[in-house]
């Protein structure tokens, strides 16, 4: 279903992630921050794992999420930290 | 008005920005990404300027905003790039 | 519980859906687009089914969701397509 | 333009504000909190003035907005306090 | 994990909830309204229970949620009423 | 500035708007509904004008915006109708 959609994801990922300005870890952090801020928790686990595979440490992900606290408020940050905790405990 | 609110901003800034894990430029980028994603354009200009004073280049800010495109959609990214453009042209 | 709330839903549905300007399929698509964009996934399945009962095809729903991609971003569109897929496979 | 829309506003206001459970000041505070939280700043000034005409003090409005801070984050609260300040200084 | 985050929650709760201007029930209602409006359903149950422990009645919580309807729209209000219903039936 | 961003807009527009399933008017309505729902008022005027150039009538745009009312709430719908009114009066 939706083969165009799948193609776009691949193209967008290829194009965006292939840009030379940021390394894989920085790119992953940016996506994580966008997902945390918009409350897109369903996709968050996937992107945290991707970032950690690219070399992000648990502390770096946690620190970035916490840094959003004064701007995003407790609910979105708390839920993101819960998801991070589940990933680490897996 | 609202002296408690002003005190909390100062305390929150002091506490959050005083954490040792991220440098000033990384902290500024995180705030910028949160503001872009939630569409908080009124505060965005202030924080882009703060980040650039801390050493962020125009290209780094631009790159981070563009990196959000597939996740945030055009409207928020386009408005953020417009604000960045106005700051650079000032 | 909340009988006023139930009455309002019935009245609002009756009034809004009784308007002559749009047919049942167009009305369903508008609701689907609103729910996809605000990430109201809990209500989305109900309204997709309603729309398909009113004559919308799977392709029309899918096409409308995909059309939002550049404006809503991947997370909300991806989650909506997942919900659509579950309905079709039922 | 949109006479139905105007009628609905009047009916909704009549029905919702005519409910006996909350007094006018409590009703105004609820609307203010909804508008602050969703960042609907265009309508906020109108509803703050309405609430103050119904008897809310500047301190009560301010206190309610500040109470949202840990949940809504700085950007929305800061913008709401700016709007409140402009109303008081008028 | 994230001991700073836990400390901030305790400090924020202590500071915000210790303010003399609003009583415990009013404070709980404000948090509930923020969570309903931003769709933070994961935290909503906890805060509804806290409010009811502080003396809020089921009717007061329900009334506040319903009062948001014209401003928040059906999806968020409907989901909040479902959560309230589950708490009452427990 | 941001030539990649401009290229992506052109490509995305070309690809998405070139799909055969929906006509130009339907495509414009979908974008309008996404922008109204996410409160992206800055881009809304441009897309309403585009839709009217493609053949949408004022009544069709108005009807679609009003149809969102029970799902989006008054603030976003009211602001969208104000923008539509300004375009018609130009």
């Amino acid at each position: 279903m939706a083969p165009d959609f799948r193609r776009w994801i691949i193209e967008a990922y290829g194009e965006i992630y292939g840009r030379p300005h940021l390394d894989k870890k920085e790119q992953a952090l940016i996506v994580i921050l966008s997902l945390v801020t918009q409350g897109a928790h369903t996709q968050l686990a996937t992107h945290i794992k991707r970032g950690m595979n690219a070399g992000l440490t648990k502390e770096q992900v946690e620190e970035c999420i916490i840094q959003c606290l004064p701007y995003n408020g407790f609910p979105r940050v708390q839920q993101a930290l819960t998801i991070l905790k589940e990933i680490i405990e897996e």
Side-chain angles (χ1 to χ4, degrees), chain A:
Chain A
M1 197 184 69
D4 289 347
F5 184 72
R6 269 205 296 272
R7 181 171 56 79
W8 289 340
I9 290 192
I10 291 163
E11 283 180 12
Y13 276 35
E15 171 115 32
I16 292 269
Y17 288 111
R19 288 168 69 84
H21 311 68
L22 300 167
D23 65 30
K24 292 281 164 262
K25 290 194 284 184
E26 291 167 324
Q27 289 175 341
L29 275 181
I30 289 168
V31 178
I32 289 167
L33 286 164
S34 166
L35 296 175
V36 170
T37 306
Q38 63 181 284
H41 300 111
T42 311
Q43 283 87 6
L44 188 55
T46 308
H47 284 276
I48 289 178
K49 285 176 194 166
R50 265 176 108 250
M52 291 173 83
N53 287 339
L56 284 176
T57 65
K58 152 186 143 26
E59 285 76 18
Q60 285 172 315
V61 177
E62 188 180 281
E63 191 61 29
C64 277
I65 295 172
I66 286 178
Q67 193 78 22
C68 293
L69 179 58
Y71 301 94
N72 290 4
F74 275 107
R76 305 220 148 166
V77 166
Q78 199 160 14
Q79 199 153 353
L81 289 177
T82 302
I83 290 166
L84 174 61
K85 194 160 172 284
E86 288 168 2
I87 291 171
I88 292 165
E89 290 174 356
E90 263 172 22

